[in-house]
């Protein structure tokens, strides 16, 4: 009887190790992963998987949440270069969006898709090359710098603010 119990226990452990049970992560768990005074995206990202993308998108769209949740969720999206994320960011980055959202969103989009979809990043960034917000123009210049050096040079020549030109060149 005792060997049967040990054998059964061994079989159960083997089953658990071979077929691990993965609990779905809830919206609140994803939101909690974005909290913390000393939050950093790589540490938070390590606990997330692609099944959390819908929760991240919901957090970004929730206007009632403090902006730090929304912008941290945008930063995490950099690690998910999926068509779903691409479509979401493209729909989010409209000229009527607030400049702060545009800055964070464009930075996430460029970081996620510059390697695989440089033309899409260039086209989206170029829409904002003459935006009134100088910090957004800086994000645009940095996004275009590695994709199209000639257009980057043109942007730098047209940029009215000296500090934006200097920061873009660094």
């Amino acid at each position: 009887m005792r060997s049967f119990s040990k054998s059964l226990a061994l079989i159960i452990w083997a089953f658990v190790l071979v077929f691990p049970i993965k609990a779905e992560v809830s919206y609140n768990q994803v939101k909690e992963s974005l909290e913390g005074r000393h939050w950093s995206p790589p540490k938070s990202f390590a606990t997330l998987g692609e099944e959390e993308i819908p929760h991240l998108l919901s957090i970004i769209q929730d206007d009632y949440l403090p902006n730090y949740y929304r912008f941290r969720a945008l930063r995490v999206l950099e690690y998910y270069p999926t068509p779903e994320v691409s479509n979401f960011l493209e729909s989010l980055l409209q000229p009527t969006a607030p400049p702060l959202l545009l800055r964070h969103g464009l930075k996430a989009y460029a970081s996620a898709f510059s390697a695989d979809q440089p033309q899409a990043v260039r086209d989206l960034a170029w829409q904002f090359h003459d935006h009134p917000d100088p910090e957004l123009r800086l994000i645009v210049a940095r996004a275009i710098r590695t994709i199209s050096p000639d257009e980057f040079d043109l942007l730098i020549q047209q940029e009215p603010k000296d500090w934006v030109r200097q920061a873009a060149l660094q």
Side-chain angles (χ1 to χ4, degrees):
M1 185 70 154
R2 190 168 222 139
S3 72
F4 177 75
S5 297
K6 286 183 180 179
S7 298
L8 184 60
L10 187 61
I11 291 171
I12 290 172
W13 277 109
F15 185 77
V16 168
L17 293 174
V18 172
F19 302 106
I21 299 169
K22 184 171 182 187
E24 282 198 32
V25 178
S26 71
Y27 171 90
N28 285 333
Q29 288 172 313
V30 173
K31 186 177 157 206
E32 287 172 9
S33 75
L34 301 172
E35 293 177 348
R37 184 174 182 186
H38 301 289
W39 179 85
S40 64
K43 187 167 52 172
S44 297
F45 164 70
T47 63
L48 300 175
E50 283 191 30
E51 62 275 0
E52 282 77 22
I53 291 174
H55 297 308
L56 292 168
L57 302 183
S58 295
I59 289 168
I60 293 165
Q61 291 174 316
D62 189 346
D63 292 335
Y64 295 105
L65 281 176
N67 278 340
Y68 75 89
Y69 282 112
R70 299 170 70 208
F71 298 149
R72 287 176 179 180
L74 277 168
R75 287 190 57 195
V76 172
L77 284 183
E78 295 175 15
Y79 300 103
Y80 299 105
T82 66
E84 179 183 9
V85 170
S86 176
N87 292 336
F88 173 79
L89 290 174
E90 288 170 1
S91 68
L92 185 71
L93 299 173
Q94 298 299 318
T96 56
L100 192 56
L101 184 65
L102 289 173
R103 288 194 304 244
H104 286 276
L106 184 59
K107 189 173 181 180
Y109 187 80
S111 182
F113 299 103
S114 286
D116 296 338
Q117 302 175 29
Q119 190 61 38
V121 171
R122 179 240 168 254
D123 292 345
L124 186 61
W126 193 257
Q127 293 179 38
F128 304 105
H129 77 280
D130 58 353
H131 195 277
D133 180 28
E135 291 182 33
L136 178 58
R137 293 194 310 268
L138 176 59
I139 301 288
V140 168
R142 287 178 174 163
I144 291 179
R145 177 175 56 194
T146 57
I147 295 170
S148 177
D150 293 336
E151 287 180 320
F152 173 74
D153 291 340
L154 179 65
L155 276 174
I156 294 301
Q157 291 172 5
Q158 294 175 349
E159 175 54 50
K161 301 239 182 240
D162 187 46
W163 71 266
V164 173
R165 286 192 302 274
Q166 290 177 5
L169 291 167
Q170 293 178 354

